[in-house]
């Protein structure tokens, strides 16, 4: 179906662009992964760009959904249906924030800053000013390219930065509407992409163009389609970079890659760091300035993007602990991801040797760093979810791929993630992976399922046993009420302590431990053999000791296990099985 063109860069244009860009990156993901050589040949640039854009698109859709749920008629306090579309400022800020919190990898982090740079200009066109036209788009592309370059500690030519700058340069020379400017930017980016092997020796030796730049070309192609209604034809690059499997894929007739060859980059190939460290950081601007200096001394591929108190930090280091510690000194780091570059993941080196997939794996969504460690120790591949920042389906699909197994058991551990997990499972099945989704509604149900997991059993039998264990576990949580609300237990006020069993509020109290004791008593009235307590960072230090004592003194033959969940949102998770 032909895309309806957009005249101005309004909220609908933002939504359309994000949707088209996500589809474009989805189509190109495998090709981009295959040409990922610089700075690390870890074959994930396409996937990281897709996940970053998916987070941005999801945030934009949430803004539209929020406005659609608002007043629908003048008599209801609004201005009718026309008032139900968000402003361009709302849309672009959501896009930028979504990309920032969902950014993955080096290229994804840079893409997040490109989108943020555009948003800073496009949002200025709101508030009674004329709609954003071609002139505004030119300014946005220029600011995006410049801000992305500033975010990288040591910019290297022949990368996505060069492609972004070329797109902005070409846009500045274009006169006309948004469609004309977008097409000029796309053509400039495509020409710059073709030139990247001549700028970066690592690309020339491997016979590929820059993977991040290839992804940006796809995103700009989607921008053209959003404004013209027609997808630009992707011309095949000239010379040795042409191949039937894709215009930008690697070719067979190139000189053999040697990891010992000079990389011509910030660090040598053999001296490349062993870990990739990524985290979100809440910190002030001056603290981030000091953080940049410290991380730059620790490693390379340093990119710090964001602002207004929230940052996304990406760096390659040998000492992952020191990189995280630097974040702790600067502010509050969370969503910490540490990836070890294996022997085949050589910096600016060749491809990884293929490894045989495992027969079976477990992928689980967990709400805190402490539980992530627990699940990982039990052999699961984890996806970290924070309050208000649920993982998207693409992130779950990527975790299934990362598990590298023929059979995967997926534990969403949240009732609200049921549909997201089902979509991820369906996508993984199309890739030949056998996936079973167990509808766990809490991390404590996931713990129970993981406890009986036995890879040596037949897949169906293992899934049945895990499902049975999860279903036999009642779950509860103790949280702080955010605002006044009606509940099944009465009216709560902001700041009250709420005890929920199976998702329903059953206790409203003023003391965390006392509320937890009431919840436990209610749960154990129906019997139980094992109590699982997962304490968040903000739970009282004496809570575990008091609750263990209560179970020991009041309920014979009931055991208690305690885990530390870290920053998990809830003060406490409770399971009884």
């Amino acid at each position: 179906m032909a895309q309806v063109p957009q005249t101005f860069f309004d909220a609908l244009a933002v939504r359309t662009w994000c949707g088209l860009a996500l589809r474009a990156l989805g189509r190109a993901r495998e090709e981009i992964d295959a040409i990922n050589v610089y700075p690390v040949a870890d074959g994930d640039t396409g996937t990281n760009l897709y996940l970053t854009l998916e987070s941005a698109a999801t945030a934009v859709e949430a803004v539209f959904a929020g406005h659609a749920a608002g007043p629908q008629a003048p008599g209801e306090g609004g201005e009718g249906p026309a008032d139900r579309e968000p402003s361009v400022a709302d849309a672009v800020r959501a896009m930028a924030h979504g990309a920032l919190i969902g950014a993955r990898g080096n290229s994804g982090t840079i893409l997040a800053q490109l989108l943020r740079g555009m948003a800073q200009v496009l949002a200025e066109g709101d508030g009674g000013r004329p709609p954003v036209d071609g002139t505004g788009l030119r300014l946005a592309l220029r600011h995006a390219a410049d801000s992305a370059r500033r975010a990288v500690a040591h910019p290297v030519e022949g990368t996505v930065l060069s492609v972004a700058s070329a797109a902005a340069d070409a846009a500045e020379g274009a006169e006309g509407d948004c469609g004309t400017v977008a097409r000029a930017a796309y053509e400039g980016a495509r020409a710059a992409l073709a030139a990247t092997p001549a700028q970066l020796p690592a690309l020339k030796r491997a016979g590929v163009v820059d993977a991040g730049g290839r992804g940006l070309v796809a995103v700009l192609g989607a921008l053209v389609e959003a404004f013209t209604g027609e997808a630009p034809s992707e011309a095949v690059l000239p010379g040795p970079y042409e191949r039937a499997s894709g215009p930008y894929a690697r070719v067979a007739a190139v000189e053999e890659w040697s990891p010992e060859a000079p990389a011509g980059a910030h660090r040598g190939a053999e001296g490349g760091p062993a870990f990739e460290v990524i985290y979100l950081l809440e910190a002030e601007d001056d603290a981030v300035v000091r953080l940049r200096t410290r991380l730059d001394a620790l490693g390379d591929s340093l990119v710090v993007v964001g602002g207004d108190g929230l940052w996304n930090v990406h760096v390659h280091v040998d000492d992952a602990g020191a990189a995280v510690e630097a974040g702790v000194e600067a502010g509050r780091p969370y969503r910490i991801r540490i990836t070890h570059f294996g022997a085949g993941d050589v910096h600016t080196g060749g491809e990884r040797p293929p490894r045989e997939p495992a027969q079976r794996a477990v992928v689980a969504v967990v709400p805190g760093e402490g539980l992530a460690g627990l699940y990982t120790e039990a052999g699961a591949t984890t996806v970290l979810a924070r309050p208000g920042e649920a993982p998207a389906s693409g992130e779950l699909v990527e975790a299934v791929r990362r598990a590298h197994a023929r059979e995967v058991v997926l534990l969403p551990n949240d009732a609200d993630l049921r549909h997201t997990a089902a979509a991820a499972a369906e996508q993984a099945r199309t890739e030949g992976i056998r996936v079973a989704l167990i509808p766990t509604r809490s991390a404590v149900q996931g713990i129970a399922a993981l406890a009986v997991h036995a890879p040596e059993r037949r897949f169906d039998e293992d899934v049945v046993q895990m499902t049975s264990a999860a279903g036999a576990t009642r779950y509860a949580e103790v949280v702080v009420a955010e605002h006044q609300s009606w509940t099944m237990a009465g009216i709560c006020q902001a700041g009250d302590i709420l005890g929920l069993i199976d998702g329903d509020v059953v206790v409203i109290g003023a003391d965390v431990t006392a509320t937890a004791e009431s919840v436990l008593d209610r749960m154990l009235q129906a019997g139980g053999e094992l109590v699982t307590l997962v304490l968040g960072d903000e739970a009282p230090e004496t809570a575990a000791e008091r609750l263990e004592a209560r179970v020991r003194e009041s309920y014979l033959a009931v055991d208690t296990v305690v885990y530390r969940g870290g920053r998990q949102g809830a003060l406490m998770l409770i399971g009884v099985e």
Side-chain angles (χ1 to χ4, degrees):
M1 180 181 295
Q3 178 64 43
V4 178
Q6 305 295 318
T7 304
F8 297 106
F9 215 134
D10 57 9
L12 184 57
V14 176
R15 184 188 202 182
T16 302
W17 178 33
C18 286
L20 291 171
L22 186 62
R23 288 195 285 275
L25 287 174
R27 292 191 298 269
R29 181 185 61 79
E30 291 185 0
E31 176 194 332
I32 297 173
D33 282 347
I35 63 172
N36 177 195
V37 169
Y38 182 88
V40 182
D42 51 357
D44 63 358
T45 291
T47 298
N48 288 339
L49 289 171
Y50 179 87
L51 292 174
T52 302
L53 209 290
E54 182 185 45
S55 183
T58 299
V60 172
E61 288 300 323
V63 167
F64 271 83
H67 278 72
Q72 298 187 21
E76 296 177 354
E79 298 181 2
D83 190 48
R84 290 159 57 195
E85 180 177 302
S87 67
V88 64
D90 290 337
V92 296
R93 286 168 182 156
M95 173 187 73
H97 181 73
L100 178 67
I101 66 174
R104 301 287 292 270
N106 189 67
S107 294
T109 307
I110 293 174
L111 175 61
Q113 187 66 10
L114 287 168
L115 296 180
R116 177 180 172 82
M118 290 190 69
Q120 289 173 325
V121 174
L122 296 174
E124 293 177 354
D126 209 19
R129 297 183 179 88
V132 177
D133 56 9
T135 299
L137 180 55
R138 286 197 299 272
L139 294 173
L141 290 168
R142 177 80 276 160
H143 186 65
D146 292 346
S147 62
R149 189 170 286 270
R150 288 193 297 269
V152 178
H154 298 275
V156 175
E157 299 305 325
T159 64
V160 64
L161 298 176
S162 303
V163 177
S165 294
D169 292 343
E172 287 179 337
E175 295 293 337
D177 59 12
C178 287
T180 302
V181 173
R183 189 174 293 278
Y186 170 77
E187 295 295 345
R190 193 175 64 179
L193 178 65
T196 55
Q199 296 174 291
L200 194 56
L203 302 178
K204 183 177 181 180
R205 284 190 293 270
V208 297
V209 294
D210 180 66
R214 168 67 181 94
L216 181 58
V217 167
V219 172
L220 291 173
L223 186 63
V224 174
E225 186 176 359
F227 286 116
T228 67
E230 298 178 356
S233 59
E234 187 178 78
V236 176
L237 288 177
Y241 305 103
E242 176 181 343
R243 191 184 182 191
S245 62
Y248 306 113
R250 70 175 77 245
V251 294
V254 296
E255 59 183 291
E256 182 178 356
W257 171 257
S258 169
E260 286 78 20
H266 183 49
R267 296 278 295 273
E270 290 190 333
F275 298 96
E276 177 185 60
V277 178
I278 306 174
Y279 49 80
L280 292 177
L281 177 70
E282 295 176 357
E284 299 298 326
D285 290 3
D286 56 350
V288 173
V289 172
R290 295 190 295 272
L291 175 67
R292 289 178 190 269
T293 301
R294 180 168 179 188
L295 291 180
D296 190 36
L298 288 175
D300 62 19
S301 297
L302 174 61
V303 186
V304 181
V305 304
D308 301 320
L310 181 62
W311 308 82
N312 192 305
V313 179
H314 170 282
V315 68
H316 294 173
V317 294
D318 282 321
D319 189 345
V324 175
E325 180 183 336
V328 173
E329 293 179 0
R332 187 177 79 87
Y334 60 98
R335 272 199 177 186
I336 301 168
R337 298 189 186 97
I338 300 175
T339 303
H340 180 257
F341 296 126
D345 297 334
V346 182
H347 267 54
T348 64
E351 299 177 0
R352 288 177 291 184
R355 61 186 177 93
E356 187 70 16
Q359 182 60 35
R360 190 174 308 159
V362 175
V363 172
V365 180
V366 292
E369 293 89 346
L371 279 178
L374 173 66
Y375 273 76
T376 300
E377 288 176 5
T381 298
T382 61
V383 178
L384 188 62
R386 296 193 62 81
E389 299 174 7
S393 62
E395 193 167 355
L396 299 187
V397 173
E398 171 57 21
V400 171
R401 296 187 186 116
R402 193 169 70 246
H404 199 58
R406 299 182 181 90
E407 302 167 340
V408 171
V409 179
L410 181 57
L411 306 175
N413 290 340
D414 187 334
D416 292 336
L417 285 178
R418 182 182 59 181
H419 297 300
T420 300
E426 189 60 33
Q427 173 61 36
R429 291 184 189 114
T430 66
E431 300 177 10
I433 304 171
R434 189 180 184 187
V435 181
L437 171 61
I438 298 178
T440 48
R441 293 172 291 175
S442 170
V444 291
Q445 289 188 323
I447 291 173
L450 200 56
V452 300
H453 170 53
E456 68 275 6
R457 285 196 294 241
R458 289 190 307 107
F459 185 63
D460 291 339
E461 182 182 350
D462 195 27
V463 171
V464 167
Q465 293 297 323
M466 294 177 72
T467 302
S468 177
T473 302
R474 299 188 71 197
Y475 66 96
E477 58 182 344
V478 178
V479 301
V480 178
E482 296 182 358
H483 48 74
Q484 185 186 59
S485 179
W486 288 87
T487 75
M488 293 181 62
I491 301 175
C492 72
Q493 304 295 328
D496 283 349
I497 306 301
L498 307 181
L500 295 84
I501 297 178
D502 295 341
D504 295 322
V505 177
V506 296
V507 180
I508 300 175
D511 179 78
V512 175
T513 305
T515 301
E517 287 177 335
S518 296
V519 169
L520 259 178
D521 287 341
R522 288 171 179 260
M523 298 179 77
L524 288 171
Q525 283 175 2
E529 299 176 355
L530 175 66
V531 172
T532 301
L533 302 175
V534 183
L535 275 63
D537 280 349
E538 297 181 1
E541 293 184 4
T542 59
E545 183 179 347
R546 280 182 55 183
L547 293 172
E548 283 185 287
R550 185 176 188 86
V551 172
R552 184 171 57 251
E553 295 167 2
S554 303
Y555 303 95
L556 298 177
V558 177
D559 295 324
T560 304
V561 292
V562 179
Y563 302 110
R564 300 290 173 177
R567 301 185 186 97
Q568 62 183 20
L571 295 170
M572 194 180 305
L573 302 177
I574 303 172
V576 174
E577 53 184 299

